[in-house]
């Protein structure tokens, strides 16, 4: 009687975490006491999360497509159709995209003047696709000329201190 092929080990072992857009090579070691010709195949439970391709020698390539989790089944088949499988749990973590400043009020660039001892508000509009909690800060290149304070949620207060030029950098 023909004996089933047996997947003895997998490297790397355990669950895999793969960054979106990256690939991970997985190799299996197979024993087939009948010395049959072996073929390799693979399937992803969710190709929107990860795809998989099989090489001819027990090497598989798992490519992360988008955040989520899926299982990938690696299969070895002998020449009369008997199989063994190995299941790999794959996690693709969410990508944290940087927030983007999409608008500013007043819109003039640069803001050309603030009177000494006056405080003028500057408001920025920010989009953040990952809906993260945002932190706002501002820096003046010369605090003896102008200071800046973030009051949160994209609102800054710039105060003129003395005559001169200062570059204000807003960060989200």
């Amino acid at each position: 009687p023909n004996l089933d092929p047996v997947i003895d080990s997998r490297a790397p072992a355990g669950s895999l975490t793969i960054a979106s857009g990256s690939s991970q090579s997985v190799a299996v070691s197979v024993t087939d006491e009948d010395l049959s010709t072996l073929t390799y195949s693979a399937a992803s439970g969710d190709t929107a999360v990860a795809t998989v391709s099989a090489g001819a020698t027990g090497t598989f390539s798992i490519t992360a497509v988008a955040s989520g989790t899926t299982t990938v089944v690696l299969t070895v088949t002998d020449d009369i159709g008997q199989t063994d499988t190995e299941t790999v749990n794959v996690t693709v973590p969410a990508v944290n995209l940087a927030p983007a400043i999409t608008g500013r009020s007043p819109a003039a660039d640069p803001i050309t003047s603030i009177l000494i001892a006056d405080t003028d508000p500057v408001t920025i509009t920010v989009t953040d696709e990952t809906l993260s909690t945002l932190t706002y800060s501002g820096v003046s290149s010369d605090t003896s000329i102008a200071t800046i304070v973030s009051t949160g949620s994209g609102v800054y207060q710039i105060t003129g201190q003395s005559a001169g030029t200062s570059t204000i950098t807003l960060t989200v």
Side-chain angles (χ1 to χ4, degrees):
N2 186 49
L3 299 173
D4 292 348
V6 176
I7 296 175
D8 300 313
S9 63
R10 175 174 58 89
S15 298
L16 298 178
T17 299
I18 307 170
S20 184
S22 298
S23 294
Q24 172 72 53
S25 182
V26 175
V28 294
S29 173
V30 178
T31 301
D32 184 52
E33 292 187 22
D34 302 316
L35 303 176
S36 301
T37 301
L38 302 174
T39 57
Y40 300 89
S41 60
S44 173
D46 187 349
T47 57
V49 174
T51 59
V52 60
S53 60
T57 60
T59 302
F60 301 84
S61 180
I62 302 172
T63 301
V65 177
S67 65
T69 58
T70 190
T71 56
V72 170
V73 178
L74 312 176
T75 303
V76 57
T77 306
D78 69 12
D79 52 9
I80 67 162
Q82 293 179 302
T83 64
D84 192 16
T85 61
E86 176 81 10
T87 300
V88 181
N89 295 314
V90 176
T91 300
V92 181
V95 176
N96 185 12
L97 302 173
I101 297 174
T102 56
R104 187 183 79 207
S105 176
D109 192 17
I111 298 172
T112 54
S113 65
I114 295 177
L115 298 175
I116 296 172
D118 275 0
T119 298
D120 289 343
V122 173
T123 303
I124 60 172
T125 305
V126 177
T127 57
D128 181 42
E129 292 181 26
T130 56
L131 304 176
S132 301
T133 300
L134 301 176
T135 303
Y136 298 84
S137 64
V139 175
S140 171
S141 66
D142 188 339
T143 56
S144 69
I145 295 172
T147 58
I148 182 165
V149 174
S150 170
T151 60
S153 298
V155 178
Y156 298 84
Q157 299 293 330
I158 301 173
T159 303
Q161 301 296 322
S162 64
T165 300
S166 178
T167 299
I168 304 294
T169 303
L170 309 177
T171 304
V172 180

